[in-house]
Amino acid sequence: MKIKIINPNTTASMTAKIGAAARAVARPGTEILAVSPAMGPVSIESHYDEALAVPGLLQEIAAGERAGVDGYVIACFGDPGLDAARELARAPVVGIAQAAMHLASLVGSSFSVVTTLSRTKGQAWHLAERYGMKRFCANVRACELPVLELEQPGSNARRRILDECRRALDEDGSDALVLGCAGMADLCQDLAQALGVPVVDGVTAAVQLVESLATLGLRTSKRGELAAPPGKPMRGLLQPFTLPSPDLRAA
Amino acid sequence: MKIKIINPNTTASMTAKIGAAARAVARPGTEILAVSPAMGPVSIESHYDEALAVPGLLQEIAAGERAGVDGYVIACFGDPGLDAARELARAPVVGIAQAAMHLASLVGSSFSVVTTLSRTKGQAWHLAERYGMKRFCANVRACELPVLELEQPGSNARRRILDECRRALDEDGSDALVLGCAGMADLCQDLAQALGVPVVDGVTAAVQLVESLATLGLRTSKRGELAAPPGKPMRGLLQPFTLPSPDLRAA
Amino acid sequence: MKIKIINPNTTASMTAKIGAAARAVARPGTEILAVSPAMGPVSIESHYDEALAVPGLLQEIAAGERAGVDGYVIACFGDPGLDAARELARAPVVGIAQAAMHLASLVGSSFSVVTTLSRTKGQAWHLAERYGMKRFCANVRACELPVLELEQPGSNARRRILDECRRALDEDGSDALVLGCAGMADLCQDLAQALGVPVVDGVTAAVQLVESLATLGLRTSKRGELAAPPGKPMRGLLQPFTLPSPDLRAA
Amino acid sequence: MKIKIINPNTTASMTAKIGAAARAVARPGTEILAVSPAMGPVSIESHYDEALAVPGLLQEIAAGERAGVDGYVIACFGDPGLDAARELARAPVVGIAQAAMHLASLVGSSFSVVTTLSRTKGQAWHLAERYGMKRFCANVRACELPVLELEQPGSNARRRILDECRRALDEDGSDALVLGCAGMADLCQDLAQALGVPVVDGVTAAVQLVESLATLGLRTSKRGELAAPPGKPMRGLLQPFTLPSPDLRAA
Amino acid sequence: MKIKIINPNTTASMTAKIGAAARAVARPGTEILAVSPAMGPVSIESHYDEALAVPGLLQEIAAGERAGVDGYVIACFGDPGLDAARELARAPVVGIAQAAMHLASLVGSSFSVVTTLSRTKGQAWHLAERYGMKRFCANVRACELPVLELEQPGSNARRRILDECRRALDEDGSDALVLGCAGMADLCQDLAQALGVPVVDGVTAAVQLVESLATLGLRTSKRGELAAPPGKPMRGLLQPFTLPSPDLRAA
Amino acid sequence: MKIKIINPNTTASMTAKIGAAARAVARPGTEILAVSPAMGPVSIESHYDEALAVPGLLQEIAAGERAGVDGYVIACFGDPGLDAARELARAPVVGIAQAAMHLASLVGSSFSVVTTLSRTKGQAWHLAERYGMKRFCANVRACELPVLELEQPGSNARRRILDECRRALDEDGSDALVLGCAGMADLCQDLAQALGVPVVDGVTAAVQLVESLATLGLRTSKRGELAAPPGKPMRGLLQPFTLPSPDLRAA
């Protein structure tokens, strides 16, 4: 089985870390392709960043479909471009916020999300609502860490995340934790051990869910909202994103 | 990895069918234990049946914990006893309605549930709400099939389920289907092929989710509501269910 | 009119206290039958305890139907087995959490629940949602009192409950209180006087509601979800719970 | 116990009918005072009618408080002026829509409301939401009967209501019915017999609830939103509604 | 265009202030008519006050319709009588809570309401729910200022409101503010400057919305719930509110 | 006042039509700038189209900010890029779905949306939820018209839209209509006249709302989620979208 993990930002070190985390949990027969798009922001910390990350992400989905990929993971906690990606793909597509929230709801009675910057908390709540997970989400907390600080060896990122996790358990009444950034994937095991509660990282959670869906033959429904998008011209800089009409594609 | 699948009713032929469906999708290294409880109803078609299925189910969970099981599936679409089972187990516990609804929400924009008897529709809606899946649930439909008719070789169960699935897609605006009974597990592939949309069976979905949780080391949180239940005497017929106090258990 | 109050735990002193509270408010013509089941836990403090309390409770409902009881109260704040009980009974069945929340919503703009152990707060919230009372429920608070400590004469239970009630009024913005355990029934009047706001005990509230329903001839609907459960064999230890098929019952 | 039932419209024949229905279910010791206000519309079929029914209703509440009434029923299905009435009264106040919906939720899994004119359906839904009863309300249906036609002996009101109730059970999936007008109180028993499901009339339901609250000593909370309104001048035609300041009232 | 702003209380100084605020933002061609009703409370601080403000308000709407007014503003933060007013008017009617919440939701991700007395907070929440604005409302806060203190030149109202706004931004996580009383209209600009976030006053917001609706030819729908109320007699003191039957009105 | 209306698709004839509709309702002093982005799809009929419309849209917002624009309209019924646009802009930004739903909720008790293709209905429902307008949205209906067919003179688009509007009023119980595509702006008046209920077009509605916000000095809050996005490199094809860091921008 081939799973493509798209880190929607263009920072290679983070993509490598994400790929490693994915491979550590993938089933023996699974090939993990971890990529960054050819275009877009170096990190995603705003709606603006998210919006600019989507075209490159979609390019990777389209390439994946041509290459016969069995499933996709969108490895940014804002799950950018998820609906558009699901339109393009016949294979299943799962976002890491989606995956982490789903799995957290299965092992605890409620979870707290610990994320990077406060300004992204609104998006986390929005996703929780869209996925039906708001009722399990006790709180979304930020440690005011810029995303790329997670990539810096000497930073005290781990300490600050651990502290915020402790506050979450003490103050939110939750009994599980969700890490709110793909860049935290490598801290997950360590935090779980320190805290004694389930700590869910979205990258590894999403790998499991995509493998699960692919094993069961569950692919994105092409009957309604998520059918292949109508073919039509794209203009200007984005001309390369022009889709042929569906009949051409079928051919 | 050892996964215990508990068919909460006491009909062995259904347990066998469920076990076969589970083994067909389990990972190479996974051992599937499919059991029925030693006590309880031959099929579950009412709140009364559910209530009386729970003690036997809990006995199987307790036995599983002693045997070092890595995860549990409750294989009845009413997910009876889920919260109590999660209290008893350190390993993860997933219900098949829960699993099916979660996975269906990942591959379609909304799903219809096709179940057995009308009188169980309320419970399906109730579970959809509890799991946060109500927003994805376009409808719950019954084909007025008693559960055990699914076990009878000559019945026209497959035809009636297929017809109801077709009506669901035509009338509900959904683009995915969830099968509302463990006894339908063997029909899933066939229905998916006939209908051309994702059809999710809870037994296989739950096996995947439990394997996923176990692989990630995600176990039921023991911090709050789902902590081990306080030890105390049980009286009368249920005396065998007496739990030792937690300190004894830890010893 | 005959009202049967089932304390689903098997502690006789609590049953006696509940019966006394019920009789103190029942109408002149009402006969109060306060019973404990023949089997089950000595107190109910977990989902496990709840699940094991239900068979004995259902046995009492079935016996009540044979004896022509006019209505039932389930006297544990988790309202265990309510739906199954309503299937068995033609007479109305009311849980004490249900009753207390309904009446509290009629005399205040919002209420706080003060209950025993933190681990039961989730169930109280769940019931509030099911009954439509979540919008009135400002908070659920625990005083970390084990249920049976309420039965011990020298305990400082009253003081701790009163203190938690005071905190509720100060911090939750609520203007009414709901006592979250049948074992607190005897404290209700006293607390109301000390606090100067409505304090609702579920046992007395449920007695009133059942008398009200019975007076109006309102019995559990037998048209859909709550119709009599299908007759079928129960196996093993629970064989005594086997129901005859409905046609036999009608005879 | 003295219960005052205020029919907020000024049609005496309806008030008499309401009073009779109330007396038929009241407890032996209860005195039922059924009144119409001294001012306002002859029937209530719009938000405008409701608004103009409220001053007269409040006058009756104020008079009731001076007379030591133990509880109030607002006998119009729009429950006009309920919050203002609860501010004025120390005794409990219950609206008939409120009472009917609460009791219906105790005997069925969902109910349909059958009311008079389509234009009032919005208000019924609004009340269902406010009372937390929306989740139980399968539908609100109108038979396009003007309220006062219910008072005309030769009208075919009963037939049209019965037909609409039948449609409700067939099409809405509900298993209980709520009558959406105080003027239907006299039809309730007859409809219940014809339909074989619980049919709840708000007048009798509210009498039971008010008696219940009064028996339990549960009075409107005076701690927050429902405290006595601040005294202040009213000008013009409404000058008689001037309230003294609270200290004067206490005196 | 003629816009009629009805201050539902009978305090002329507040009406003058409201009129001035409205004129300061109205379009060049707009004539602002600011009035108080001929009857009712001098300030609105309870459900009782609201209820008694409505008849006078409706009289002003009826007069406005006869005078060909193009739109109405109800200038009290409880939006009293809004539905009844919309029935009477063909022109659009907007309440100031409604207007302020709508506009605040367009410029921030969530808002806090800062109002006068705590006892009115319930009504603000209720309106937020009715208008669909609850999801944007982070909190409703009171500064415990009686309404008429806003009219007293020497009061420290501005300081207390500013302090409460600061606390709202610090504690509620909101990024916009809504002023919860028409009497605060004159403070809006000043507060916005001091706080550096959008501060929305309902009076000026409602003027803009009504001008917008009128410009677009959007008038209150007369098809269903908001159609003209049925004509019928009003009795007693309220006899002047008798509506002719609709056919007479059309003539 | 300068209002910039961005038609996020790249079809000039539609942009011209939108501009004309906007100018027809703008205030005398308002300058309407109607533009299409320099890149992106010729019409927006899928999540994929939406995603690729956003970069060009954001470029127009950035240009608008440099030119001192007072407010923005996003003139596609999916409101693509709204949150990102609000981050970039200090001036207010309003989407046409947002505007139309808000205004429709002020003149009716509920509305139906009539849009182009069925596959876009999910997005309309999603926006209704995000804006708090779901409770007013009775239905979303499609006439299966591709967007660009609205631009073809000889098409029977008007007839099909009118027919769907009629069905909406007959079947949905709504009393107002919302047009679900910017390309329908020119039909609005005509449909309103034919149908006799309020018909709201988002383009003209959004112009009014943006003028309203600008007049009141209400600009996008820069305190939290909508603060200017952090500056950072964009790579590849999207390199031109690189934002300087905030301090450079302030200079």
Side-chain angles (χ1 to χ4, degrees):
Chain A
M1 179 183 326
K2 241 186 317 196
I3 306 286
K4 186 168 189 175
I5 303 185
I6 306 165
N7 167 20
N9 79 33
T10 50
T11 293
S13 65
M14 191 180 285
T15 309
K17 182 165 68 176
I18 289 168
R23 276 177 207 104
V25 302
R27 307 181 187 182
T30 299
E31 179 187 356
I32 296 289
L33 312 164
V35 302
S36 274
M39 63 181 82
V42 297
S43 66
I44 299 180
E45 298 170 322
S46 63
H47 296 290
Y48 181 83
D49 290 344
E50 275 202 22
L52 275 307
V54 174
L57 169 91
L58 294 177
Q59 224 169 30
E60 292 296 336
I61 300 277
E65 287 295 288
R66 289 190 300 270
V69 162
D70 296 293
Y72 302 89
V73 171
I74 300 179
C76 163
F77 202 80
D79 292 356
L82 178 58
D83 285 326
R86 290 161 92 203
E87 285 178 334
L88 279 187
R90 290 199 65 83
V93 188
V94 172
I96 64 167
Q98 188 177 38
M101 292 181 189
H102 274 275
L103 292 197
S105 80
L106 300 178
V107 289
S109 56
S110 71
F111 58 78
S112 297
V113 175
V114 174
T115 187
T116 53
L117 299 182
S118 273
R119 63 176 302 143
T120 68
K121 292 179 1 181
Q123 176 68 1
W125 278 113
H126 173 52
L127 294 178
E129 179 177 66
R130 287 217 73 182
Y131 302 147
M133 294 295 115
K134 201 169 176 179
R135 57 189 290 123
F136 299 105
C137 186
N139 205 0
V140 178
R141 292 166 163 272
C143 5
E144 307 308 346
L145 274 171
V147 168
L148 295 184
E149 210 165 309
L150 292 164
E151 300 305 292
Q152 291 166 11
S155 89
N156 63 348
R158 183 194 165 279
R159 164 65 33 205
R160 283 164 72 182
I161 294 167
L162 182 59
D163 288 351
E164 197 65 35
C165 287
R166 288 228 166 85
R167 275 192 290 275
L169 294 174
D170 286 350
E171 298 169 12
D172 300 348
S174 54
D175 56 3
L177 293 162
V178 163
L179 300 181
C181 180
M184 299 175 182
D186 54 339
L187 304 173
C188 182
Q189 298 274 33
D190 176 40
L191 293 168
Q193 226 145 15
L195 294 161
V197 297
V199 179
V200 189
D201 154 59
V203 174
T204 50
V207 168
Q208 293 293 326
L209 284 179
V210 168
E211 286 184 324
S212 294
L213 294 168
T215 299
L216 299 179
L218 293 170
R219 297 154 66 91
T220 304
S221 181
K222 291 294 146 185
R223 185 183 165 84
E225 184 179 348
L226 303 174
K232 70 184 55 165
M234 297 281 159
R235 296 212 172 118
L237 198 66
L238 296 173
Q239 191 276 337
F241 289 86
T242 296
L243 284 186
S245 64
D247 28 43
L248 281 177
R249 271 176 281 169
Chain B
M1 178 184 325
K2 241 186 314 195
I3 306 286
K4 185 167 191 174
I5 304 185
I6 307 164
N7 169 19
N9 78 32
T10 49
T11 295
S13 64
M14 191 180 284
T15 309
K17 184 164 69 175
I18 288 168
R23 277 176 207 105
V25 303
R27 307 182 188 182
T30 299
E31 180 187 356
I32 296 289
L33 312 164
V35 302
S36 275
M39 61 182 82
V42 296
S43 65
I44 300 179
E45 298 171 320
S46 64
H47 296 290
Y48 181 83
D49 290 344
E50 276 201 22
L52 291 163
V54 173
L57 170 92
L58 295 176
Q59 221 170 31
E60 292 296 336
I61 299 277
E65 288 295 288
R66 290 190 299 269
V69 161
D70 297 291
Y72 302 89
V73 172
I74 300 179
C76 164
F77 203 78
D79 293 357
L82 179 57
D83 285 327
R86 290 160 92 201
E87 285 177 335
L88 279 188
R90 290 199 65 83
V93 187
V94 172
I96 65 167
Q98 188 178 38
M101 292 182 188
H102 274 275
L103 291 197
S105 81
L106 299 177
V107 290
S109 55
S110 72
F111 59 78
S112 297
V113 175
V114 173
T115 187
T116 53
L117 298 182
S118 274
R119 65 176 301 144
T120 68
K121 290 175 10 177
Q123 176 69 358
W125 277 114
H126 173 53
L127 294 178
E129 179 176 65
R130 289 217 74 183
Y131 302 147
M133 294 294 116
K134 201 169 177 181
R135 54 188 294 124
F136 299 106
C137 187
N139 205 359
V140 178
R141 291 165 163 272
C143 5
E144 307 308 345
L145 274 171
V147 167
L148 293 184
E149 208 166 309
L150 292 164
E151 299 306 292
Q152 292 166 10
S155 89
N156 62 350
R158 184 195 164 277
R159 164 63 37 203
R160 283 164 72 184
I161 293 167
L162 182 60
D163 288 352
E164 197 64 35
C165 287
R166 287 226 166 86
R167 276 192 289 277
L169 294 174
D170 286 350
E171 298 169 9
D172 300 348
S174 55
D175 56 2
L177 293 162
V178 164
L179 299 181
C181 180
M184 300 177 183
D186 55 340
L187 303 172
C188 182
Q189 297 275 32
D190 177 40
L191 292 167
Q193 226 146 14
L195 293 161
V197 298
V199 179
V200 189
D201 153 59
V203 174
T204 51
V207 168
Q208 293 293 325
L209 285 178
V210 168
E211 286 184 324
S212 294
L213 294 168
T215 300
L216 299 179
L218 293 170
R219 296 154 68 90
T220 303
S221 181
K222 291 294 146 188
R223 186 184 164 84
E225 184 179 348
L226 304 173
K232 71 183 55 164
M234 297 279 158
R235 298 213 171 117
L237 197 66
L238 296 173
Q239 191 273 340
F241 289 86
T242 296
L243 284 186
S245 65
D247 27 43
L248 281 178
R249 273 176 280 169
Chain C
M1 177 183 328
K2 243 186 313 195
I3 306 286
K4 186 168 189 174
I5 303 185
I6 306 165
N7 168 20
N9 79 32
T10 49
T11 293
S13 65
M14 192 180 284
T15 309
K17 182 164 70 175
I18 289 168
R23 276 176 208 108
V25 303
R27 307 182 188 182
T30 299
E31 180 187 356
I32 296 289
L33 312 164
V35 302
S36 275
M39 61 182 81
V42 296
S43 65
I44 300 180
E45 298 170 322
S46 64
H47 296 290
Y48 181 83
D49 290 343
E50 276 201 23
L52 275 307
V54 174
L57 169 90
L58 295 176
Q59 223 169 29
E60 292 296 336
I61 299 278
E65 287 295 289
R66 289 189 300 270
V69 161
D70 296 292
Y72 302 89
V73 172
I74 300 179
C76 164
F77 203 78
D79 291 357
L82 179 58
D83 286 326
R86 290 160 93 202
E87 285 178 335
L88 279 188
R90 289 198 65 84
V93 188
V94 172
I96 66 167
Q98 188 177 38
M101 292 181 188
H102 275 273
L103 292 197
S105 81
L106 300 177
V107 289
S109 55
S110 71
F111 58 79
S112 297
V113 175
V114 174
T115 186
T116 52
L117 299 181
S118 274
R119 64 177 301 144
T120 69
K121 291 178 2 179
Q123 177 69 358
W125 278 113
H126 172 52
L127 294 179
E129 179 177 65
R130 288 217 74 184
Y131 303 146
M133 295 295 113
K134 201 169 177 180
R135 55 189 293 125
F136 299 105
C137 186
N139 205 358
V140 178
R141 291 165 164 272
C143 4
E144 307 308 346
L145 273 172
V147 168
L148 294 184
E149 209 164 310
L150 292 163
E151 300 305 293
Q152 292 165 10
S155 88
N156 62 349
R158 184 194 165 278
R159 163 64 36 205
R160 282 164 73 184
I161 294 166
L162 182 61
D163 288 352
E164 198 64 35
C165 288
R166 287 230 166 83
R167 276 193 290 276
L169 294 174
D170 286 351
E171 299 169 11
D172 301 347
S174 55
D175 57 2
L177 293 161
V178 163
L179 299 181
C181 179
M184 300 176 183
D186 55 339
L187 303 173
C188 182
Q189 298 275 33
D190 176 41
L191 292 167
Q193 224 146 16
L195 294 160
V197 298
V199 179
V200 189
D201 153 58
V203 174
T204 50
V207 168
Q208 293 292 325
L209 284 178
V210 169
E211 287 184 322
S212 295
L213 295 167
T215 299
L216 299 179
L218 293 170
R219 296 154 68 90
T220 303
S221 181
K222 290 293 143 186
R223 186 183 165 85
E225 184 179 349
L226 304 173
K232 71 185 54 165
M234 297 280 158
R235 297 215 172 115
L237 198 65
L238 296 173
Q239 192 272 341
F241 288 86
T242 296
L243 284 186
S245 65
D247 26 44
L248 282 178
R249 271 177 280 171
Chain D
M1 180 184 324
K2 239 185 318 192
I3 306 286
K4 186 169 190 174
I5 302 185
I6 306 166
N7 168 20
N9 78 32
T10 50
T11 293
S13 65
M14 191 180 284
T15 310
K17 183 164 70 177
I18 289 168
R23 276 177 208 106
V25 302
R27 308 182 187 181
T30 299
E31 178 187 358
I32 297 289
L33 312 164
V35 302
S36 275
M39 62 181 82
V42 296
S43 65
I44 299 179
E45 299 171 320
S46 63
H47 296 291
Y48 181 82
D49 290 345
E50 274 200 24
L52 291 162
V54 174
L57 169 91
L58 295 176
Q59 223 168 30
E60 292 295 337
I61 300 278
E65 288 296 289
R66 288 190 301 269
V69 161
D70 296 291
Y72 302 89
V73 172
I74 300 180
C76 164
F77 202 79
D79 292 356
L82 178 58
D83 285 327
R86 290 160 93 202
E87 286 177 335
L88 280 188
R90 289 198 66 83
V93 188
V94 172
I96 64 167
Q98 188 177 37
M101 293 181 187
H102 274 274
L103 292 197
S105 81
L106 300 177
V107 288
S109 57
S110 71
F111 58 79
S112 297
V113 176
V114 174
T115 187
T116 53
L117 299 182
S118 275
R119 64 176 304 145
T120 67
K121 292 179 0 183
Q123 177 68 1
W125 278 112
H126 173 53
L127 294 178
E129 179 177 66
R130 289 216 73 183
Y131 303 145
M133 294 294 114
K134 201 169 176 180
R135 57 189 291 124
F136 299 105
C137 187
N139 205 359
V140 179
R141 291 165 164 271
C143 4
E144 307 308 346
L145 273 173
V147 168
L148 295 184
E149 210 165 310
L150 292 164
E151 299 305 293
Q152 292 167 9
S155 89
N156 63 349
R158 185 193 163 279
R159 163 66 32 205
R160 283 164 72 183
I161 294 167
L162 181 61
D163 288 351
E164 198 64 36
C165 287
R166 288 228 166 85
R167 276 192 290 276
L169 294 174
D170 286 351
E171 299 170 9
D172 300 348
S174 54
D175 57 2
L177 293 162
V178 164
L179 299 181
C181 180
M184 299 176 183
D186 54 340
L187 304 172
C188 183
Q189 297 275 32
D190 177 40
L191 293 167
Q193 225 145 15
L195 293 161
V197 299
V199 180
V200 188
D201 154 58
V203 174
T204 49
V207 168
Q208 293 292 326
L209 285 177
V210 169
E211 285 183 325
S212 294
L213 295 168
T215 299
L216 299 178
L218 293 170
R219 297 153 67 91
T220 303
S221 181
K222 291 295 145 185
R223 186 184 163 84
E225 184 180 348
L226 303 173
K232 69 183 57 166
M234 298 280 159
R235 296 213 172 117
L237 198 65
L238 296 173
Q239 192 273 338
F241 289 86
T242 297
L243 285 185
S245 64
D247 27 43
L248 280 178
R249 272 177 281 170
Chain E
M1 178 184 322
K2 246 188 309 195
I3 306 287
K4 185 168 189 174
I5 302 185
I6 305 166
N7 168 19
N9 78 32
T10 49
T11 294
S13 65
M14 191 180 285
T15 310
K17 183 165 70 175
I18 288 168
R23 277 176 207 106
V25 303
R27 306 181 188 183
T30 299
E31 181 187 355
I32 296 289
L33 311 163
V35 302
S36 274
M39 62 181 80
V42 295
S43 66
I44 299 179
E45 298 170 320
S46 63
H47 296 290
Y48 181 83
D49 290 344
E50 276 202 23
L52 292 164
V54 174
L57 169 92
L58 294 176
Q59 222 169 32
E60 291 296 335
I61 300 277
E65 287 295 287
R66 289 190 300 269
V69 161
D70 296 292
Y72 302 88
V73 172
I74 299 179
C76 164
F77 203 79
D79 293 357
L82 179 58
D83 285 327
R86 289 161 94 202
E87 285 178 334
L88 279 188
R90 289 199 65 84
V93 188
V94 173
I96 65 167
Q98 188 178 38
M101 291 181 189
H102 274 274
L103 292 197
S105 81
L106 300 177
V107 290
S109 55
S110 71
F111 58 78
S112 296
V113 175
V114 174
T115 188
T116 52
L117 298 182
S118 274
R119 63 178 301 143
T120 69
K121 291 178 3 180
Q123 176 69 359
W125 278 114
H126 173 54
L127 294 178
E129 179 177 68
R130 288 217 74 183
Y131 303 148
M133 295 295 115
K134 201 168 176 181
R135 55 190 291 124
F136 299 106
C137 187
N139 205 358
V140 178
R141 292 167 163 270
C143 6
E144 306 310 344
L145 272 171
V147 169
L148 294 183
E149 208 165 312
L150 292 163
E151 300 305 293
Q152 290 167 11
S155 88
N156 63 350
R158 182 193 166 279
R159 164 63 35 205
R160 283 164 71 183
I161 294 167
L162 182 59
D163 288 352
E164 197 64 36
C165 287
R166 287 228 165 85
R167 275 191 290 274
L169 294 174
D170 287 350
E171 299 169 11
D172 300 348
S174 55
D175 57 2
L177 293 162
V178 163
L179 300 181
C181 180
M184 299 176 183
D186 55 338
L187 303 173
C188 182
Q189 297 275 31
D190 177 40
L191 293 168
Q193 225 144 16
L195 294 161
V197 298
V199 180
V200 188
D201 154 58
V203 174
T204 50
V207 168
Q208 294 292 325
L209 284 178
V210 169
E211 286 184 324
S212 294
L213 294 168
T215 298
L216 299 178
L218 292 170
R219 297 153 68 90
T220 304
S221 181
K222 289 296 144 183
R223 187 184 164 84
E225 184 180 348
L226 303 173
K232 72 184 53 164
M234 297 282 159
R235 296 212 173 118
L237 197 66
L238 295 173
Q239 190 276 341
F241 288 85
T242 297
L243 284 186
S245 65
D247 28 44
L248 281 178
R249 273 177 278 170
Chain F
M1 179 186 321
K2 244 187 312 194
I3 307 286
K4 186 168 190 173
I5 302 184
I6 305 166
N7 168 19
N9 78 33
T10 50
T11 294
S13 65
M14 191 179 286
T15 310
K17 183 165 70 176
I18 289 168
R23 277 176 207 107
V25 303
R27 307 182 186 182
T30 299
E31 181 187 355
I32 296 289
L33 311 163
V35 302
S36 275
M39 63 181 79
V42 296
S43 65
I44 300 178
E45 298 170 321
S46 63
H47 295 291
Y48 181 82
D49 290 344
E50 275 201 24
L52 291 162
V54 173
L57 169 92
L58 295 176
Q59 222 170 30
E60 292 295 336
I61 299 278
E65 288 295 288
R66 290 190 300 270
V69 161
D70 297 293
Y72 301 88
V73 172
I74 300 179
C76 165
F77 202 79
D79 293 356
L82 178 58
D83 285 327
R86 290 161 92 201
E87 285 178 335
L88 280 187
R90 290 198 65 83
V93 188
V94 173
I96 66 167
Q98 188 177 38
M101 292 181 188
H102 274 275
L103 292 197
S105 81
L106 300 177
V107 290
S109 55
S110 71
F111 58 78
S112 297
V113 175
V114 174
T115 187
T116 53
L117 299 182
S118 274
R119 66 177 299 144
T120 67
K121 291 178 2 180
Q123 176 69 359
W125 278 114
H126 173 53
L127 294 178
E129 179 176 67
R130 288 216 74 183
Y131 303 148
M133 294 294 115
K134 201 169 178 181
R135 55 191 289 122
F136 299 106
C137 187
N139 205 358
V140 178
R141 292 166 163 271
C143 4
E144 306 309 344
L145 272 171
V147 168
L148 294 183
E149 209 165 309
L150 291 164
E151 299 305 293
Q152 291 166 12
S155 88
N156 63 350
R158 183 194 164 279
R159 162 64 37 202
R160 282 164 71 184
I161 294 166
L162 182 60
D163 287 353
E164 197 64 35
C165 287
R166 287 227 166 86
R167 275 192 289 275
L169 294 174
D170 286 351
E171 299 169 10
D172 300 348
S174 56
D175 58 1
L177 293 161
V178 163
L179 299 180
C181 179
M184 299 176 182
D186 55 339
L187 302 173
C188 182
Q189 297 274 30
D190 177 39
L191 292 167
Q193 226 146 16
L195 294 161
V197 299
V199 180
V200 188
D201 154 59
V203 175
T204 49
V207 168
Q208 294 292 325
L209 284 179
V210 169
E211 286 184 325
S212 294
L213 295 168
T215 298
L216 299 179
L218 292 170
R219 297 153 69 90
T220 304
S221 180
K222 290 295 144 186
R223 185 183 165 85
E225 184 180 348
L226 303 173
K232 73 184 53 163
M234 297 281 158
R235 295 213 173 118
L237 196 68
L238 295 173
Q239 189 276 336
F241 288 85
T242 296
L243 284 185
S245 66
D247 28 44
L248 281 177
R249 272 176 281 169

